Amino acid sequence: MALLNDHYLKLKAGYLFPEIGRRVKAFCDAQPAAAKRLIRCGIGDVTEPLPPAVVAAMHRAVDEMAARESFKGYGPEQGYEWLRAAIAQHDFRSRGLDVADDEIFVSDGSKCDCGSILDILGRKNKIAISDPVYPVYVDTNVMAGHTGEANAAGAYGKIIYLPCRPSNGFVPEPPKRHVDIIYLCSPNNPTGAAATRPQLEAWVKFASEHKAIILFDAAYEAYITDPAIPHSIYEIPGARECAIEFRSFSKNGGFTGTRCAFTVVPKSLNAETQAGEFKPLHPLWSRRMTTKFNGVSYIVQRAAEALYSPEGKEQVKSLIDHYLGNAHVLRAGAKKAGWKVFGGENAPYIWVRTPTAVTSWQAFDKILDQANVVITPGSGFGSKGEGYFRISAFNSRANAEEVARRFQELKW
Ligand code: MLT
């Protein structure tokens, strides 16, 4: 008899967003009239079309693929050199950060990379994860067998949870105990909080002292408006020796459906072997990519490259301004409705305290039922997310304004 991976059976219910999708479908089937006025502020999926510079680059690339002389088959698994160079130059070196072209690994998404990185890390690491958190960090560790069972609140044995609350500005502090792997996401999904330089310095210090590795998810860095907030973990001295950074074109270039992202693995980052030797992770990640991945399509990599052209940068800025404008409208609407509101200033997510005695899923049902608006229940991001919900600012301006208006009519 073939054996299955028992660890999958420890996972709680479905992945959060398919679960929301199921509930929304049930609502729409039961109430077709209300379904017509449904506005989705649940999953953080972009709504605006691709920037014109990207569309033009894709058209050119399609034409190249249509001619024998310029046709491309397999590309380098780690990404074309010209894209790796554009990323390293524009996202890092132009900001004074020391990142080499071949430390950039182009992929089809940060979600995949955050999960796949576990392939090159040992099985006995002590893993620290914020709570609430992007569910992928937890679930991929469950799937890999790094955790125990979940308790009634959905917290898994063996994971060291780092609570994020209003008292720490939703940015976790280093724990008082040893951990080996730390997941940090800044600007944060779901809370919208962004870690300050001193907070990131404290984490790099902790990681250096503990020979730990920080997995730094910076998928939302383009939303940072506060000039004092670091865009990259490599702005912190010492991070090249203790951090891997994940970046994405999904939320800045609108690539959620186009798929392109990258991971930075510095050559100076080492981890320990079973025998106690320190070895670099860079060749392991490269080896993993060449074995398990065949690269992002040529057309999509040309599209990503166009984001770094002068017009591409302008167009990305307009997209970010648009979504941050929505965040401003939604924040103001939620505040006017009398709710306690966090985030939404350096991130496209607004994190809202539910009224007293209302659970996250009760808030979800109430807002869906009365306002016909989909939000995300905070408890789906972890036990400390209970009592909160997340509003995504990815929408048209008209929808953001309508949602802000409907919030005023809610009766708890
Ligand atoms: C979210 O809504 O949290 C995001 O869409 C998740 C993701 O980017 O995978």
Side-chain angles (χ1 to χ4, degrees), residues 84-95 99 101:
R84 300 173 89 188
I87 294 169
Q89 177 58 30
H90 292 274
D91 280 329
F92 300 99
R93 291 200 293 268
S94 69
R95 296 179 178 182
V99 172
D101 299 357

Side-chain angles (χ1 to χ4, degrees), residues 18-59:
E19 175 61 23
I20 290 173
R22 266 191 297 280
R23 289 183 186 226
V24 172
K25 183 171 182 314
F27 170 81
C28 292
D29 290 347
Q31 301 196 45
K36 289 209 178 83
R37 62 193 295 273
L38 192 78
I39 301 180
R40 294 174 194 272
C41 295
I43 190 163
D45 193 4
V46 293
T47 55
E48 303 309 296
L50 289 170
V54 164
V55 176
M58 287 178 102
H59 281 301

